[in-house]
Amino acid sequence: MITKHDQHWMKQAIELAQKGEGHVEPNPMVGCVIATEDQLISSGFHQAFGDAHAEVNAIANADVIPDNASLYVTLEPCCHTGKTPPCTQAVIESGIKRVVIGATDPNPTVNGDGIKTLIAAGISVISGCCEDACSQLIAPFKTTMEHQRPWVIAKWAMTLDGKIATRSGSSQWISNQQSREVVHRLRGRVDAIIVGSGTAIADDPLLTARPPGPRNALRVVVSSRAELPLDSKLVVTAKEVPVLVTAGLGTDPNRIDALQEKGIEVLNCPGDSRADILPLLMMELGKRGCTNVLVEGGAKLLGSLFDAELVDEVNIFVAPKTVGGESAPSPVTGKGLEWMNEAHQWDTTSESIGNDVLIRGRRRR
């Protein structure tokens, strides 16, 4: 039975787990607390990829573990040897008699076997404590395990009337300075930042996190013809921060050669539409170990991703401005849906960023 004390300590483990964001990928964020009903004994979290897991850190941080203590962990302990020994072994050797788990591990090498190992050792195991919140923690990891592609975050800034630029194309700046700082922090924790060729050409973005974050994202331009000016910021800095450009069938080989000479990686795709390119790109990024990718536009690219149902999360910055205009662009185009009852559903939160509002949403599956 899950008690109110179990829920209390698991919530603390969840908060601890979030400290690993951007550092542990492609591993999941995991937090662990060892406590009696009313006393914290020790805690730990997975701090960096390749380092000790949360359970091992919590056990190491405990001076003495009382007989009536429980171990609370947001994710099922691993039972295999990877970069570190199995956490089940550390839990069993610690003498802990009761383990409370948030979510089961979707990794095929675990997937319930960690729980079975603990039970076989005589440990009482309670699973499903704060399960929804713990599952949210590992959603990107679960996506890579089950779909072999990264978790896709779509981001845009828009006015109150839903415009991402004026009718003349002017877009700097819609959001305020604080919002742009949030975007840079988001860039600093993802594995890739993706834009369409139209955005790359029109805005000439650098697509780096400033200041740098824990991860150094691959910069990706989605293009059917490897369209990227050789004097663009992305090309000029390609030898410092990697850039990948897609190229569909019929791309001029001379253009590919010119980009490659500048240090650009070109991904050749067996098709020339976004519908052909995007699934292949996502699978390629998954093979490279990318867990989270950020898509910053433009509207056509975002529309294609929504049409392909490849968007998992949205980060939308809404500025208290209106610009109007029938021809002023909206954030998402594409084919779209025909009927309102088919609309994608999102679980959202919102917060004020200065006078902007940030709406975060995760797709309901």
Side-chain angles (χ1 to χ4, degrees):
M1 182 179 71
I2 297 172
T3 69
K4 64 179 182 180
H5 298 289
D6 293 337
Q7 293 173 337
H8 169 76
W9 294 119
M10 186 62 76
K11 287 175 182 177
Q12 289 208 10
I14 291 169
E15 291 180 6
L16 279 169
Q18 292 167 340
K19 293 183 178 183
E21 187 175 59
H23 299 273
V24 303
E25 292 83 358
N27 283 352
M29 294 180 285
V30 183
C32 182
V33 166
I34 299 174
T36 62
E37 282 192 350
D38 55 5
Q39 181 184 5
L40 174 67
I41 305 302
S42 66
S43 62
F45 65 98
H46 186 29
Q47 298 181 21
F49 178 69
D51 287 357
H53 290 185
E55 303 95 313
V56 173
N57 285 331
I59 292 168
N61 290 336
D63 292 329
V64 177
I65 300 177
D67 289 340
N68 62 337
S70 296
L71 181 144
Y72 299 88
V73 61
T74 57
L75 183 66
E76 174 186 6
C78 64
C79 54
H80 65 286
T81 300
K83 288 187 174 295
T84 60
C87 291
T88 50
Q89 177 183 336
V91 174
I92 292 168
E93 291 176 355
S94 73
I96 288 170
K97 302 294 192 299
R98 183 174 183 265
V99 173
V100 181
I101 295 168
T104 56
D105 193 334
N107 188 333
T109 60
V110 185
N111 197 22
D113 286 344
I115 292 173
K116 293 176 183 176
T117 300
L118 295 177
I119 292 174
I123 295 172
S124 172
V125 178
I126 308 295
S127 59
C129 182
C130 302
E131 186 171 12
D132 287 346
C134 291
S135 295
Q136 289 291 320
L137 273 177
I138 65 165
F141 175 71
K142 186 175 181 180
T143 297
T144 62
M145 287 289 110
E146 295 183 349
H147 302 291
Q148 293 76 53
R149 68 164 178 86
W151 178 264
V152 178
I153 306 166
K155 164 262 164 186
W156 65 83
M158 68 181 188
T159 60
L160 284 175
D161 51 342
K163 304 298 183 181
I164 58 171
T166 66
R167 58 184 171 83
S168 68
S170 173
S171 62
Q172 295 186 347
W173 294 100
I174 293 174
S175 57
N176 62 32
Q177 178 63 36
Q178 298 104 304
S179 291
R180 298 197 292 277
E181 289 171 0
V182 172
V183 172
H184 279 286
R185 290 197 293 272
L186 180 56
R187 286 179 176 181
R189 70 165 182 85
V190 299
D191 298 299
I193 302 168
I194 306 173
V195 296
S197 56
T199 297
I201 293 169
D203 295 349
D204 192 20
L206 191 56
L207 300 181
T208 57
R210 302 182 293 277
R215 308 193 80 76
N216 188 27
L218 171 70
R219 301 173 294 173
V220 181
V221 177
V222 178
S223 174
S224 60
R225 295 289 183 268
E227 297 166 300
L228 187 62
L230 296 180
D231 61 351
S232 67
K233 292 175 184 175
L234 289 171
V235 173
V236 170
T237 60
K239 292 182 179 179
E240 302 166 21
V241 183
V243 178
L244 182 147
V245 178
T246 64
L249 291 175
T251 301
D252 183 350
N254 293 325
R255 178 177 291 168
I256 293 176
D257 290 343
L259 288 171
Q260 289 176 333
E261 287 176 4
K262 295 288 187 178
I264 302 289
E265 181 182 1
V266 177
L267 178 66
N268 291 295
C269 303
D272 56 8
S273 69
R274 289 189 186 88
D276 297 323
I277 291 171
L278 288 173
L280 182 91
L281 172 63
M282 292 304 168
M283 293 297 285
E284 175 63 24
L285 293 176
K287 290 177 184 177
R288 297 182 183 208
C290 293
T291 305
N292 297 276
V293 300
L294 175 65
V295 183
E296 297 203 18
K300 292 180 180 178
L301 174 59
L302 287 169
S304 296
L305 285 164
F306 275 100
D307 286 346
E309 300 198 353
L310 286 172
V311 178
D312 303 295
E313 179 181 335
V314 292
N315 280 234
I316 306 166
F317 297 84
V318 183
K321 303 173 183 179
T322 56
V323 297
E326 184 177 353
S327 61
S330 298
V332 180
T333 59
K335 181 180 179 181
L337 300 172
E338 185 174 1
W339 303 102
M340 186 56 69
N341 62 8
E342 299 174 340
H344 302 150
Q345 299 293 314
W346 301 80
D347 294 316
T348 60
T349 61
S350 62
E351 63 179 292
S352 296
I353 309 291
N355 59 352
D356 290 348
V357 174
L358 168 58
I359 301 171
R360 287 193 175 100
R362 288 191 170 197
R363 173 84 182 273
R364 293 181 192 170
R365 299 291 185 181

